[in-house]
Amino acid sequence: MYLFDQPDIMNKALVFCLTKPLRQGQQTYPHLVLYAPTDYTTISLNLDESVLAERYGGKLQPNMRDEGYKLIAKLFKFIGGVKLYTSDSFHTSRGAPYVRCVHKSEGGLLYFMERTLFFIHKPTLQIAYDDIQSVHYHRYDPNSHTGNKMFDIQIKLKGQNGVSIWFHNIEYPDFSAVNAKFSSKDIRQ
């Protein structure tokens, strides 16, 4: 389970990676994205205190009040044994933990985690750094006077007959943070 900050401070995205993807017709969905509120919520568990103390060591209470996403993450952690990963180490020049971009024709957010990249929204993509053969930057010219303030990333995957994944329209100020992250993972550029 992954936790991602969103541009609106009202929600956080919780992404669940499914071992068996959901199917709808021919389409498979290996990830579920849940937008959880950041406002305070109260939940009541239908378990008595002795069971909570015995099974969960007092980490869960019959009535809990906290931010909605924290309560959901806590329940999955203690009841389901699911570990939570966050994107704390990556930040752009503006302090955002994500990069706005376009994949195919859908706009979304690209997150750089410790071991993987995530693109959230339609389709949700997860790319492990170990699966990346090389990264190429296109349309990047910081000295350009044409008014173009965007660049593209082409990620070539290992062992997939040259399959590339493209992310378009990333703003120039985000280049140094993106490049530093790929360089720190020793990915050929």
Side-chain angles (χ1 to χ4, degrees):
M1 180 169 58
Y2 293 86
L3 176 67
F4 299 110
D5 290 331
Q6 294 292 291
D8 68 340
I9 58 173
M10 301 301 295
N11 294 298
K12 301 252 185 192
L14 287 166
V15 178
F16 298 91
C17 300
L18 305 175
T19 54
K20 184 178 178 186
L22 295 175
R23 292 186 65 94
Q24 183 178 14
Q26 294 296 318
Q27 183 69 37
T28 60
Y29 297 97
H31 303 96
L32 288 179
V33 180
L34 170 72
Y35 291 98
T38 56
D39 53 347
Y40 279 81
T41 306
T42 302
I43 62 168
S44 299
L45 299 178
N46 194 15
L47 298 170
D48 48 50
E49 291 185 40
S50 62
V51 172
L52 290 172
E54 180 183 318
R55 286 189 190 168
Y56 308 109
K59 304 229 191 249
L60 298 176
Q61 307 301 321
N63 294 305
M64 295 187 290
R65 180 169 173 74
D66 206 343
E67 293 174 283
Y69 74 94
K70 288 181 181 177
L71 290 173
I72 294 168
K74 191 174 193 178
L75 290 173
F76 274 94
K77 178 181 178 181
F78 293 114
I79 294 175
V82 177
K83 188 172 180 179
L84 179 69
Y85 298 96
T86 61
S87 61
D88 290 336
S89 63
F90 178 84
H91 292 286
T92 63
S93 61
R94 293 181 301 277
Y98 54 81
V99 172
R100 289 183 185 271
C101 64
V102 174
H103 173 63
K104 297 186 180 178
S105 63
E106 293 290 333
L109 305 173
L110 185 61
Y111 294 89
F112 294 82
M113 308 295 285
E114 188 60 33
R115 293 189 178 106
T116 188
L117 288 172
F118 258 100
F119 176 77
I120 297 179
H121 206 38
K122 300 180 186 175
T124 301
L125 291 176
Q126 181 181 17
I127 306 167
Y129 292 120
D130 292 341
D131 294 339
I132 298 174
Q133 178 181 346
S134 63
V135 173
H136 301 281
Y137 302 106
H138 297 271
R139 296 191 308 148
Y140 180 71
D141 182 7
N143 300 321
S144 174
H145 298 292
T146 63
N148 184 18
K149 301 289 184 216
M150 305 284 188
F151 69 97
D152 303 330
I153 298 173
Q154 176 188 13
I155 298 175
K156 290 189 178 182
L157 300 178
K158 293 178 182 174
Q160 303 226 354
N161 297 329
V163 170
S164 293
I165 297 174
W166 286 81
F167 298 101
H168 302 281
N169 297 341
I170 302 170
E171 295 180 2
Y172 273 0
D174 297 334
F175 178 81
S176 58
V178 169
N179 189 46
K181 187 64 170 186
F182 284 128
S183 296
S184 72
K185 298 298 177 186
D186 295 325
I187 296 172
R188 189 172 52 125
Q189 300 180 23

